[in-house]
DNA sequence: GACCAGGTATTGC
DNA sequence: GCAATACATGGT
């Protein structure tokens, strides 16, 4: 088995797996394992900030270095947030220092975040996994890739519904139809400026401001996108209603991920309502 | 068995 | 415009 070991700053696979941006990354015996781009990858943490990946150097450099966004300087984000006037942002950034914005596939992000609305993260993971095991392509280790637009488009809605999609079933079906037919060309959308990309995504039924922002941030690497979810609203209340994001222009989405992880990890501490 | 979940579309004012 | 409401199903 080929492996490649490399030192990566500002990278914590656990933090990434808990960040809610991906739904197919799990803890395993050796560390963490994920499926993306039609392949499984295992990440084994090593001492002193090194990580061992289950692929050779060439594949890592060609594929995974980009996936883990190694060209982006997260140290700069950390430096800026450390000096933020908002103590909540300082704490969130420190807590989330190992989070990176993965460069995931737009199609997969579109479907995952259509499903995500009013579902808990465990429920999202379950629905996504059912979609993959039922309609994805098998890998040699018994797992499955994320299904293609053509595959989902070929299915009766009842087949989609059986994966627990509920009322989101027609949203997923319409997205599959639009992408498979070429009406929505996700590759072409990648070259649009942020505002036009958002407009195009929101033409799809079930894509509102929050889902569009997630697809932009996690699928198109638009780091300015700031998905406003219930965790942002809860956390913002602790900050007097709104976050002080001045100075964070261009990487608001990274800040959002820091806040998301921090708020969820400390839900009992921060939100004493208890029932959350 | 309530209650809530990475929201959105629709309706009514 | 903006507030209220329905929405399928699963996790806790």
């Amino acid at each position: 088995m080929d492996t490649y070991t490399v030192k990566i700053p500002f990278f914590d696979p656990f933090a990434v797996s808990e960040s809610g941006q991906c739904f197919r990354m799990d803890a395993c015996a050796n560390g963490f394992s994920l499926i993306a781009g039609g392949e499984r990858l295992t990440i084994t943490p090593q001492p002193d900030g090194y990580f061992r990946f289950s692929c050779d150097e060439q594949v890592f450099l060609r594929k995974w270095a980009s996936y883990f966004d190694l060209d982006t300087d997260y140290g700069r984000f950390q430096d800026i947030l450390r000096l933020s006037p908002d103590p909540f942002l300082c704490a969130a950034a420190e807590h989330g220092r190992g989070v990176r914005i993965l460069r995931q596939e737009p199609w997969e992000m579109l479907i995952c975040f259509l499903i995500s609305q009013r579902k808990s993260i465990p429920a999202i993971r379950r629905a996504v996994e059912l979609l993959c095991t039922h309609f994805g392509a098998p890998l040699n280790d018994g797992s499955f890739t994320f299904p293609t637009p053509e595959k989902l488009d070929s299915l009766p809605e009842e087949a989609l519904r059986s994966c627990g999609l509920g009322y989101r079933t027609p949203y997923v079906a319409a997205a599959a139809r639009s992408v498979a037919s070429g009406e929505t060309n996700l590759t072409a959308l990648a070259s649009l400026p942020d505002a036009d990309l958002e407009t195009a995504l929101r033409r799809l039924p079930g894509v509102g401001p929050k889902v569009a922002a997630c697809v932009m941030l996690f699928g198109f690497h638009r780091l300015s996108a700031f998905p406003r979810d219930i965790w942002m609203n809860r956390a913002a209340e602790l900050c007097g209603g709104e976050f002080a994001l001045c100075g964070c222009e261009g990487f608001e989405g990274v800040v959002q991920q820091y806040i998301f992880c921090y708020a969820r990890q400390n839900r009992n501490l921060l939100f004493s309502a208890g029932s959350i």
Side-chain angles (χ1 to χ4, degrees), chain A residues 108-231:
Chain A
E108 183 171 340
M109 293 301 96
L110 174 60
I111 298 306
C112 286
F113 285 99
L114 275 172
I115 292 171
S116 75
Q117 55 187 264
R118 276 184 66 88
K119 263 187 183 301
S120 66
I121 288 184
I124 299 165
R125 298 178 89 102
R126 178 179 177 278
V128 169
E129 215 46 46
L130 284 173
L131 270 184
C132 294
T133 54
H134 290 181
F135 310 122
L139 296 175
N140 54 22
D141 63 359
S143 57
F144 294 84
T145 64
F146 194 84
T148 64
E150 293 74 20
K151 177 63 180 179
L152 294 192
D153 184 39
S154 74
L155 300 169
E157 287 204 1
E158 282 319 303
L160 294 174
R161 192 177 296 274
S162 71
C163 297
L165 304 195
Y167 69 89
R168 309 156 193 83
T169 299
Y171 298 160
V172 171
R177 165 49 53 96
S178 185
V179 173
S181 71
E183 177 190 354
T184 296
N185 182 339
L186 293 170
T187 304
L189 293 190
S191 62
L192 295 178
D194 288 0
D196 296 338
L197 173 59
E198 181 182 1
T199 300
L201 290 171
R202 289 188 59 175
R203 288 202 188 97
L204 296 165
V207 178
K210 193 276 177 181
V211 171
C214 285
V215 177
M216 291 174 69
L217 179 57
F218 305 130
F220 290 93
H221 205 71
R222 303 303 172 95
L223 298 188
S224 295
F226 188 94
R228 280 196 191 275
D229 57 31
I230 50 172
W231 293 101

Side-chain angles (χ1 to χ4, degrees), chain A residues 46-64:
Chain A
Q46 306 287 311
D48 302 320
Y50 283 81
F51 297 89
R52 190 175 74 228
F53 293 88
S54 63
C55 62
D56 64 31
E57 176 176 7
Q58 191 181 12
V59 170
F60 182 86
L61 295 177
R62 172 164 46 80
K63 175 175 178 177
W64 297 107

